Amino acid sequence: MSTHHRRVAAAVLCAGAGLALTACSSSGGTSVTAGSTPGAGAGATASAAADPTAGLPNGTKLAGWLLPASAVPKLKANPTLVNNSGDTFVEPSNASITKSKACDLLNGTNWMTAGGVGPAAFAGTDFNDSYGNEYYQELDAFENTRAAQEIAGLKKVFTECKSFPMTQGGTTYRMHLKVKELPGLGDEAVESLVTSPSLTGGQTMVVIRSGKLLIATSYNDQNGSGAEALTLARQLLKKLPAAAG
């Protein structure tokens, strides 16, 4: 994709985020007071079985499973885009997102929010260069069956956004999306590729569900398709402990 147009899309979605730990987070929720858990009873005697976050990794642990900068040696870490819910869990939320808004979200690094189902914990990092090439990775942990709901929501968005407009700088571009399932990868996985006949390059987005965890990667390549997103997503899946999800 064009350096200017793709990078502007990400900047707009992350405007004002700076170095905040929850910059452009995919949670859509609010932080829970340390020591509390969403949906837990008032008493301290609530059993672990009643705690929807029991066994889930928090943001700090998820961050430890993200790929290091050496995984993308041609890019540099972007310190202005770091997502991490930290040691506490966030209260998950559900968002009703219109088709046009969902399609528009696919133009930025927080495209995962288009599914509308927020996680309980998350961690993500971004890598880019001066030419507009960019790799973003995120790990999300969900309560109960919410990970399956979120990937289902994203699959629906990918299907509905096969052709959509992107307007920037007063010019509207027609974006085209191709989607395909990735059988045999995690519990379920899907890949989408966004391109435009008016822009060079493309962006590939990959989502893998492993139990209650979602792996999300996107690679915006100014001269190619961004197919590295799938290779990097596979590497992330291998890093997850078997019992993590």
Side-chain angles (χ1 to χ4, degrees):
M1 291 295 179
S2 164
T3 300
H4 173 72
H5 298 298
R6 178 61 69 182
R7 285 176 61 79
V8 167
V12 169
L13 291 169
C14 301
L19 294 173
L21 289 179
T22 55
C24 282
S25 77
S26 65
S27 69
T30 55
S31 294
V32 177
T33 303
S36 67
T37 53
T45 58
S47 66
D51 180 1
T53 64
L56 287 182
N58 58 26
T60 301
K61 182 163 288 187
L62 290 171
W65 298 333
L66 292 171
L67 298 178
S70 58
V72 282
K74 295 181 180 180
L75 306 178
K76 294 183 178 180
N78 177 10
T80 66
L81 182 49
V82 178
N83 293 328
N84 195 323
S85 56
D87 294 332
T88 60
F89 292 99
V90 298
E91 183 176 358
S93 64
N94 296 319
S96 179
I97 303 175
T98 63
K99 175 184 175 181
S100 60
K101 176 62 175 178
C103 295
D104 188 57
L105 285 170
L106 299 182
N107 290 312
T109 51
N110 64 342
W111 54 272
M112 301 79 63
T113 60
V117 180
F122 54 87
T125 52
D126 185 71
F127 304 85
N128 58 22
D129 63 18
S130 60
Y131 302 105
N133 299 297
E134 184 174 22
Y135 167 63
Y136 181 76
Q137 59 179 349
E138 182 166 311
L139 294 175
D140 296 331
F142 293 81
E143 297 177 0
N144 303 317
T145 61
R146 292 175 63 83
Q149 296 172 29
E150 168 66 359
I151 194 170
L154 286 171
K155 288 179 180 180
K156 180 179 179 182
V157 170
F158 291 156
T159 299
E160 294 181 343
C161 297
K162 290 185 176 180
S163 179
F164 60 96
M166 177 182 73
T167 301
Q168 291 182 358
T171 301
T172 299
Y173 302 88
R174 177 57 55 177
M175 314 304 291
H176 298 287
L177 185 152
K178 294 181 179 180
V179 60
K180 65 177 180 180
E181 298 278 346
L182 300 171
L185 196 56
D187 293 312
E188 55 182 319
V190 63
E191 176 188 73
S192 67
L193 169 63
V194 177
T195 59
S196 171
S198 302
L199 302 171
T200 60
Q203 175 171 281
T204 292
M205 296 168 280
V206 175
V207 188
I208 302 173
R209 182 177 71 83
S210 178
K212 296 182 179 181
L213 304 185
L214 283 189
I215 295 169
T217 64
S218 60
Y219 201 108
N220 178 29
D221 191 333
Q222 300 301 313
N223 298 303
S225 65
E228 294 92 334
L230 178 55
T231 299
L232 294 165
R234 290 180 184 275
Q235 292 178 21
L236 277 169
L237 181 61
K238 291 180 178 179
K239 291 194 67 175
L240 298 184

